DNA sequence: AATTGTATAATTGTCGACAATATGATTGTT
DNA sequence: AACAATCATATTGTCGACAATTATACAATT
């Protein structure tokens, strides 16, 4: 349940559906999701730890403001480090099933880019990158998520859907060929600050 | 309350007082801290997000195992990036009060090194580095904590107290002189994987 | 002795309620 | 009109209890 609330809220925040610095109320969410406030608290706490929300004791949580340009650049750098490391240590154990999973995600992304559905693009982009990081290490995934989600808060300004789509296709292609060098290049090209 | 539980547990885990992969039970902790289980859950969730504990749905949390050597190297690199960025954007607004706070921490560290009190060393080391990261950005602090705590899980093998002490003194000295280049060098020297 | 099945105990996940704190509205004073 | 004080409402923090799930212990079977 917590994960569902987290995913829904994270998606909305990253898609810019909730304004920056706006308070997020436990009771409203509890009503909306049909659960008790405690369950919502758990989700809000998780999202606070991820950096999507900012927690203040006794005052609840607010939506994080987007990172500064400097911070975004740092996040991009950190992400590249983590994702390249992940590819380095996982590529040799990549399976056909992994290929299939990535291809499926790429297809979803492709359709979303054609339909200019920003929310799905953001979610799928996240899921694709998350795939290789998660394959490397669950701990690393958690670190990566905290960085990536912060960075993607500003993603709502995406202005070139086709390029986004092509970049991800290049990553998937390189991985399918087990070409680490090409995969790293493609990832680095995709992860840059806006 | 949550913060107190978090700090206590984090300290114990980083000091190696709880074995890797050992389950951490809500009820035991609730009894120990004299609070309800819900309050403990919050703390455990936070520590899970930090990477100190590993959460499994319906099965509770376990103490994380230390990072692999490769991962430690990555964490050290990520930490250096974050801490240098933090110094870059904060050094120009560093105050006398900041100097005083850092000096106080350094003194605590010095005494702990003389007494070979590993727990206090770990906590103080963490607090010193956290100081400049937190000064840069609350969001960045949260990302940094997830990385640093993971890295410090293996810290219990510290074998040269005096070197640790001298390295931190060098950082504090460089900051007090507002010498960014020297501060960055000193931080980089201090942050290396074991 | 080793394996499987069942019951019991331990633990987690979620609930609603009460206490504590913060926020907003209203009233009083200058 | 502007500011301070007070009160009412909204919200968070924490509690203990019940439902659901997992782990452990014990009995039965091979």
């Amino acid at each position: 349940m917590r994960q569902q609330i987290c995913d829904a809220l994270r998606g909305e925040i990253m898609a810019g559906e909730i304004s920056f610095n706006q308070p997020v109320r436990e009771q409203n969410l509890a009503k909306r999701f049909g659960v008790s406030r405690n369950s919502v608290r758990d989700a809000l706490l998780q999202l606070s730890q991820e950096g999507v929300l900012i927690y203040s004791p006794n005052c609840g949580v607010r939506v994080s403001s987007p990172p500064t340009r400097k911070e975004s650049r740092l996040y991009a750098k950190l992400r590249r480090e983590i994702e390249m490391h992940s590819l380095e240590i996982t590529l040799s154990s990549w399976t056909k099933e992994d290929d299939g999973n990535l291809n499926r995600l790429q297809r979803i992304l492709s359709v979303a880019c054609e339909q200019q559905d920003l929310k799905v693009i953001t979610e799928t982009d996240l899921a694709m990158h998350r795939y290789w990081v998660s394959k490397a290490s669950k701990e690393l995934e958690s670190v990566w998520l905290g960085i990536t989600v912060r960075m993607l808060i500003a993603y709502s300004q995406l202005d070139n859907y086709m390029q986004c789509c092509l970049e991800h296709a290049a990553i998937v292609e390189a991985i399918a060929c087990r070409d680490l060098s090409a995969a790293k290049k493609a990832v680095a090209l995709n992860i840059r600050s806006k």
Side-chain angles (χ1 to χ4, degrees), chain A:
Chain A
M1 193 65 237
R2 184 213 308 164
Q3 207 56 49
Q4 291 174 43
I5 299 174
C6 274
D7 291 343
L9 281 187
R10 195 191 294 110
E12 286 174 27
I13 290 167
M14 291 201 302
E17 290 175 19
I18 316 185
S19 310
F20 307 136
N21 213 42
Q22 178 173 335
V24 178
R25 297 300 183 209
E26 295 175 0
Q27 297 193 128
N28 296 340
L29 289 178
K31 205 170 298 184
R32 172 174 152 196
F33 287 97
V35 295
S36 95
R37 211 162 44 74
N38 268 328
S39 302
V40 166
R41 285 180 62 80
D42 287 348
L44 295 183
L45 174 52
Q46 177 168 336
L47 289 172
S48 297
Q49 293 285 112
E50 286 178 15
V52 171
L53 300 173
I54 301 291
Y55 166 79
S56 307
N58 290 319
C59 300
V61 297
R62 288 170 180 273
V63 176
S64 288
S65 46
T68 63
R69 186 164 291 263
K70 279 192 178 181
E71 226 174 275
S72 285
R73 270 204 298 266
L74 177 64
Y75 288 142
K77 192 187 287 191
L78 297 178
R79 262 190 76 190
R80 286 194 290 267
E81 299 281 359
I82 294 175
E83 293 194 24
M84 289 191 191
H85 164 94
S86 299
L87 289 171
E88 270 166 30
I89 67 174
T90 62
L91 204 56
S92 53
S93 54
W94 209 267
T95 65
K96 288 288 181 187
E97 187 188 6
D98 292 322
D99 285 332
N101 289 332
L102 259 202
N103 283 327
R104 195 164 22 250
L105 286 169
Q106 194 204 327
R107 251 175 277 132
I108 296 171
L109 184 66
S110 192
V111 171
C113 286
E114 277 167 23
Q115 299 178 341
Q116 312 204 1
D117 185 339
L118 189 59
K119 195 174 173 191
V120 175
I121 291 171
T122 307
E123 285 166 6
T124 312
D125 188 328
L126 188 75
M128 284 177 78
H129 290 258
R130 192 175 188 166
Y131 194 89
W132 45 81
V133 175
S134 176
K135 197 171 162 64
S137 150
K138 282 293 167 187
E139 287 88 1
L140 207 44
E141 179 190 351
S142 154
V143 169
W144 172 87
L145 189 61
I147 294 165
T148 302
V149 167
R150 279 285 299 157
M151 191 180 160
L152 292 185
I153 288 182
Y155 209 61
S156 37
Q157 314 309 326
L158 179 68
D159 53 4
N160 191 333
Y161 298 109
M162 283 318 302
Q163 184 170 0
C164 168
C165 198
L166 290 173
E167 283 169 6
H168 283 92
I171 298 171
V172 173
E173 173 69 23
I175 291 179
C177 295
R178 310 299 189 260
D179 185 341
L180 180 61
S181 174
K184 280 166 134 182
K185 274 200 184 72
V187 163
L189 181 63
N190 176 251
I191 307 175
R192 52 190 188 273
S193 66
K194 307 291 186 271

